Amino acid sequence: MRRWRQEHFRGRGPAALPQQLPQPLPPSGALHAEEEEEEEEEEGQGAPSLGAVTLAGRRMCPLGWLGVASLCLGTLWAVPAKERRKAEKPKADLTLYENPDSDNYDLTLDNYGEILDLSNYEELYDYGDLVPKIEVGTLAPRPKDPKTHPELSETTAGTPKQPPSGAGPTPPAPIPGQGLPSCLLCLCLGTSVYCDDADLEQIPALPPDTAYLYARFNRIAAIRARDFSGLEKLKRIDLSSNSISWADVDAFRLLPSLQELLLPENRLTALPELPRSIVRLDARLNRIPSAGLRPEAFRDLKQLQFLHLSDNQLDFIPVPLPESLRSLHLQNNNIQTMHEDTFCDSQDQGQIRRALEDIRLDGNPINLSLFPNAFFCLPRLPTGRFS
């Protein structure tokens, strides 16, 4: 080890020694100054100065205020937008009602009969849900005390009555308690008049274009000739379930378009003369005897197809019957006998009445087996007693 040290120091010359000697120490004040300068340089490199911080803060401050202002404006704008949407929605709904499309409403009184089939009214009308105290089909109640209501001729209060003029025609006297027109007492739809369950005692004045009249479930006691005067378009009259005990002879004869006459559940004791246009006659549940029918009452009715006279007081089958007849209901009468020529011509053995398929004689005391030659032309035997 000693040898290595000698060789190590021996290789170095004197000139090398001064380079290895330490430098003389500077004064203490200079040393502190150098340390402070180094610290300031380090601080300058490591952290920004106060001036730099202030300058950066000034640059960022406008951006922050701009963001805050944007949020405030957005909030203020959103509130009026909601209010505007609420206010615009009702306006949009109102425009639908202000400008309705009326081109699609084609229902008028002229084509009402095409949309609603009035011929089967009695099948569509249900009386099971009617309240007894409600007048079905009425548009105006009848006054209980006529003295408390002004007359119809006084249009305004205080207007004096005008004396009747001799130049014009004198209107017919109004029916006591029922002087209002039928469209105020009943319901008028197109050419149909509905007076069902209206507590009527007489047939009201009808519009001249009436084609269908329904006046069921009333208290009508009689049919006068003038009740249907001038109604040339009248096709159907339904007076079911009234208290009709008599009818004028010409009450229906002058109606050229009448096809259906329905008079069941009344108190008739005779049938008036019928027009030749009649297709269906229903007079069930009355009190009509054979003497209440005119001789050969149905012979000239070439369009008659349905003749229903059940539940009456008939003693024999009314003859002759038209060839157009399809249905004959005479059940629950007092028929005891019949002629061999009642339905078929005994002189014409080849006769066939294909149309007459429905004959009811049940509920009568007649024994049909006693008249075997009376049915040879019929497609079906009558319904009744054969023993």
Side-chain angles (χ1 to χ4, degrees):
M1 197 66 187
R2 185 180 296 173
R3 184 180 301 175
W4 180 83
R5 292 179 178 175
Q6 291 177 359
E7 291 178 358
H8 180 73
F9 286 105
R10 189 180 298 170
R12 297 176 179 269
L17 292 175
Q19 297 176 358
Q20 300 295 331
L21 293 176
Q23 297 293 331
L25 295 173
S28 58
L31 182 59
H32 289 295
E34 290 179 359
E35 290 178 356
E36 291 178 358
E37 291 179 0
E38 291 177 359
E39 290 177 0
E40 290 179 358
E41 290 179 359
E42 291 177 358
E43 291 178 357
Q45 294 178 359
S49 62
L50 180 61
V53 172
T54 304
L55 181 60
R58 291 178 180 176
R59 291 178 180 176
M60 294 178 64
C61 184
L63 296 177
W65 284 110
L66 183 59
V68 173
S70 300
L71 292 176
C72 294
L73 291 176
T75 303
L76 295 176
W77 178 258
V79 173
K82 294 180 179 180
E83 295 179 355
R84 285 197 305 270
R85 285 195 296 269
K86 293 180 180 180
E88 290 175 358
K89 186 175 181 180
K91 293 181 180 179
D93 297 338
L94 290 176
T95 55
L96 297 176
Y97 298 95
E98 293 175 357
N99 300 316
D101 185 10
S102 60
D103 296 337
N104 296 327
Y105 294 90
D106 296 333
L107 182 60
T108 61
L109 294 179
D110 296 335
N111 62 357
Y112 186 85
E114 300 177 0
I115 299 175
L116 179 62
D117 186 8
L118 299 176
S119 61
N120 59 349
Y121 173 78
E122 62 178 343
E123 300 176 0
L124 299 176
Y125 203 92
D126 185 10
Y127 293 93
D129 300 332
L130 293 180
V131 180
K133 296 183 179 180
I134 296 178
E135 294 182 358
V136 178
T138 58
L139 298 182
R142 293 180 300 282
K144 296 182 180 179
D145 188 3
K147 297 180 180 180
T148 59
H149 297 268
E151 297 183 2
L152 296 176
S153 59
E154 297 178 2
T155 56
T156 58
T159 303
K161 296 182 181 180
Q162 298 293 334
S165 176
T170 303
I175 302 173
Q178 300 182 10
L180 295 175
S182 59
C183 290
L184 293 180
L185 293 171
C186 310
L187 177 63
C188 298
L189 293 177
T191 58
S192 300
V193 179
Y194 303 94
C195 300
D196 293 339
D197 200 11
D199 201 22
L200 298 177
E201 296 180 358
Q202 297 184 18
I203 297 175
L206 300 173
D209 59 344
T210 302
Y212 303 93
L213 171 63
Y214 301 91
R216 299 172 288 191
F217 307 101
N218 287 287
R219 295 185 298 154
I220 300 174
I223 303 175
R224 302 167 299 179
R226 65 175 182 269
D227 290 340
F228 304 108
S229 178
L231 300 178
E232 298 181 355
K233 299 180 180 180
L234 193 56
K235 297 180 180 179
R236 182 172 187 171
I237 299 175
D238 192 347
L239 300 174
S240 306
S241 301
N242 279 276
S243 302
I244 302 172
S245 59
W246 63 274
D248 287 344
V249 177
D250 296 333
F252 308 108
R253 183 177 62 87
L254 301 178
L255 299 177
S257 302
L258 186 62
Q259 298 179 2
E260 296 182 72
L261 179 59
L262 308 179
L263 301 170
E265 300 184 36
N266 281 283
R267 302 174 184 176
L268 287 171
T269 57
L271 278 181
E273 189 174 352
L274 301 173
R276 296 189 177 185
S277 59
I278 196 72
V279 175
R280 177 185 177 188
L281 174 62
D282 188 351
R284 297 173 290 116
L285 297 167
N286 279 276
R287 304 172 183 177
I288 305 173
S290 295
L293 300 178
R294 294 183 305 105
E296 301 182 349
F298 308 108
R299 183 187 61 179
D300 297 330
L301 304 181
K302 303 300 183 182
Q303 300 183 33
L304 182 62
Q305 299 182 20
F306 304 92
L307 178 59
H308 296 170
L309 297 174
S310 59
D311 297 280
N312 279 282
Q313 301 174 9
L314 299 178
D315 298 323
F316 56 84
I317 300 174
V319 290
L321 296 172
E323 292 289 332
S324 59
L325 194 63
R326 297 172 54 188
S327 176
L328 176 65
H329 287 185
L330 299 174
Q331 67 268 28
N332 300 326
N333 279 281
N334 192 32
I335 300 175
Q336 301 180 10
T337 185
M338 62 183 298
H339 299 285
E340 292 185 354
D341 293 339
T342 299
F343 301 111
C344 306
D345 185 3
S346 59
Q347 304 298 326
D348 185 5
Q349 296 296 324
Q351 181 189 12
I352 299 177
R353 298 190 65 170
R354 300 184 183 276
L356 189 55
E357 297 182 349
D358 180 21
I359 301 176
R360 292 195 58 180
L361 294 172
D362 50 306
N364 287 279
I366 186 174
N367 186 359
L368 299 179
S369 62
L370 300 177
F371 309 94
N373 297 326
F375 316 118
F376 72 89
C377 67
L378 299 178
R380 291 182 177 87
L381 290 175
T383 302
R385 186 169 65 91
F386 282 88
S387 60

